[in-house]
Amino acid sequence: MKKTFLSLTLAASVLALSACGNSGDEKVATSKVGDVTKDQLYKEMKDSVGDSALQLIIIEKVLGDKYKVADKDVNAEYKKQKEDIEKQGQDFKQALAAQNMTEKSFKRSIKLNLLQEAALADGVKVSEADMKAYFEEMKKEVKASHILVKDEKTAKEVKAKLDKGENFATLAKKYSTDSSSQANGGELGWFGPDKMVPEFTKAAYALKKGEISEPVKSTYGYHIIKLEDERAAKVSGSYEDNKAAIKKKLQLQEADQSQLLTKVSKLVKDADVKIKDKDLKDALSQFTNSSAQ
């Protein structure tokens, strides 16, 4: 379940035009009805996406100075997400166009997400035992169903009905708020340890075939999980080969996402950013105000 961290608009901006060393009245387009100069284009883009674009550029710079993301990691994530989109039967380019993105801006967003993940993981400790346990989980896939409800009271009521022998699929169709699985009696299909939120995964992997969990709380509400089946999964490489990736996954699971704003705010402060364009003076207020607090 891929998470989005800081909300930054990936706008196709020309805010850097003023620093390119060319005259502001240089023409970027000509026509019989009038020309468009760099100054005009800069002003138009500044008025429409100026704050968000400047924010993006500076956050990329401060994170990129502190953390390093290799091109091979960006390309690997790009390939993975492209394959995921195409597996869903979508045309990749059309999917990007629907988000007002190009392949270039999509890779840029991936790099920014990886930089944010590096910042989030920074300083989060995970034990060797937990990493080895996760590697063992990678060797198994589980097939589960769930009933998702909004509150603990309803979850307990549903669990009581299940304990009395009522049918799981029938109750899922009646009570579950998960529209994607409700019609199938709550069935979620096969998944590994990195596909669901940590609370759900931990509970599902602890069950025996046919067993039903107590209510499990996550950011989505309360889940009642039934383990339908389990099977062996193929893992590429040894524990040592996967150790770095496992460590990062567990760090991100343990990380407090609310601390990302604090970390970025400190980096912005340490970088001593001074915005010269008075029209864009509040572009970083989200970070400077957080730093001041």
Side-chain angles (χ1 to χ4, degrees):
M1 188 170 292
K2 197 68 178 176
K3 296 180 176 65
T4 301
F5 304 112
L6 295 180
S7 179
L8 298 174
T9 302
L10 290 168
S13 172
V14 290
L15 287 176
L17 285 176
S18 61
C20 68
N22 296 319
S23 171
D25 61 3
E26 180 181 339
K27 296 177 178 61
V28 295
T30 61
S31 75
K32 293 179 179 179
V33 295
D35 302 333
V36 178
T37 66
K38 284 192 173 181
D39 273 347
Q40 289 174 319
L41 185 57
Y42 174 86
K43 184 179 185 307
E44 181 66 29
M45 296 299 289
K46 184 175 75 171
D47 290 344
S48 59
V49 296
D51 282 356
S52 58
L54 181 58
Q55 185 185 101
L56 168 65
I57 292 169
I58 292 174
I59 298 310
E60 280 181 330
K61 286 182 179 294
V62 298
L63 287 174
D65 183 67
K66 174 76 173 178
Y67 307 101
K68 302 304 175 189
V69 171
D71 288 343
K72 66 179 181 64
D73 294 329
V74 174
N75 291 331
E77 183 63 23
Y78 174 88
K79 181 181 179 182
K80 178 179 179 298
Q81 293 197 38
K82 182 175 183 291
E83 289 174 351
D84 288 345
I85 289 171
E86 290 175 340
K87 282 179 183 177
Q88 296 171 18
Q90 299 182 61
D91 180 85
F92 181 61
K93 289 187 177 180
Q94 288 181 1
L96 290 185
Q99 299 296 321
N100 294 318
M101 300 181 81
T102 63
E103 292 184 15
K104 184 177 180 180
S105 64
F106 185 49
K107 283 189 176 182
R108 187 179 181 186
S109 72
I110 289 172
K111 183 173 183 178
L112 179 59
N113 241 19
L114 292 175
L115 285 169
Q116 291 180 91
E117 287 179 354
L120 262 179
D122 190 12
V124 178
K125 295 181 179 179
V126 294
S127 69
E128 190 80 16
D130 286 342
M131 288 190 285
K132 287 182 176 179
Y134 188 91
F135 182 69
E136 291 305 310
E137 288 183 349
M138 289 171 62
K139 298 177 181 178
K140 183 174 77 172
E141 288 183 328
V142 298
K143 183 180 182 182
S145 299
H146 81 146
I147 301 171
L148 176 64
V149 296
K150 291 182 179 180
D151 58 86
E152 187 176 15
K153 180 182 177 182
T154 306
K156 288 181 176 180
E157 290 174 358
V158 174
K159 183 62 167 63
K161 290 177 182 292
L162 289 166
D163 290 342
K164 290 178 181 178
E166 293 196 35
N167 184 268
F168 191 96
T170 301
L171 291 176
K173 291 176 182 178
K174 181 177 179 180
Y175 287 98
S176 186
T177 60
D178 179 10
S179 58
S180 64
S181 67
Q182 181 188 39
N184 296 324
E187 188 173 320
L188 296 167
W190 292 96
F191 57 90
D194 62 341
K195 297 300 181 184
M196 305 293 182
V197 290
E199 305 92 338
F200 189 100
T201 300
K202 184 177 180 181
Y205 269 73
L207 295 172
K208 296 178 181 178
K209 185 177 177 179
E211 193 174 4
I212 297 173
S213 74
E214 294 297 321
V216 176
K217 185 180 180 181
S218 79
T219 53
Y220 295 95
Y222 288 82
H223 310 260
I224 300 169
I225 307 165
K226 180 181 179 182
L227 184 65
E228 305 286 357
D229 204 352
E230 59 182 52
R231 67 186 182 189
K234 185 178 180 181
V235 179
S236 298
S238 65
Y239 169 69
E240 290 299 326
D241 295 329
N242 288 275
K243 185 175 179 178
I246 292 172
K247 181 179 180 181
K248 181 180 177 182
K249 286 179 181 178
L250 294 181
Q251 284 177 318
L252 291 175
Q253 288 180 10
E254 294 295 324
D256 180 356
Q257 289 195 32
S258 66
Q259 290 302 305
L260 181 59
L261 179 61
T262 302
K263 289 181 177 182
V264 174
S265 298
K266 185 179 185 306
L267 292 175
V268 170
K269 181 181 179 182
D270 292 346
D272 192 26
V273 179
K274 292 181 174 61
I275 299 175
K276 303 297 186 180
D277 190 321
K278 61 182 178 58
D279 295 328
L280 300 172
K281 61 183 178 61
D282 295 325
L284 296 178
S285 59
Q286 176 186 5
F287 305 97
T288 54
N289 290 344
S290 173
S291 178
Q293 291 168 7

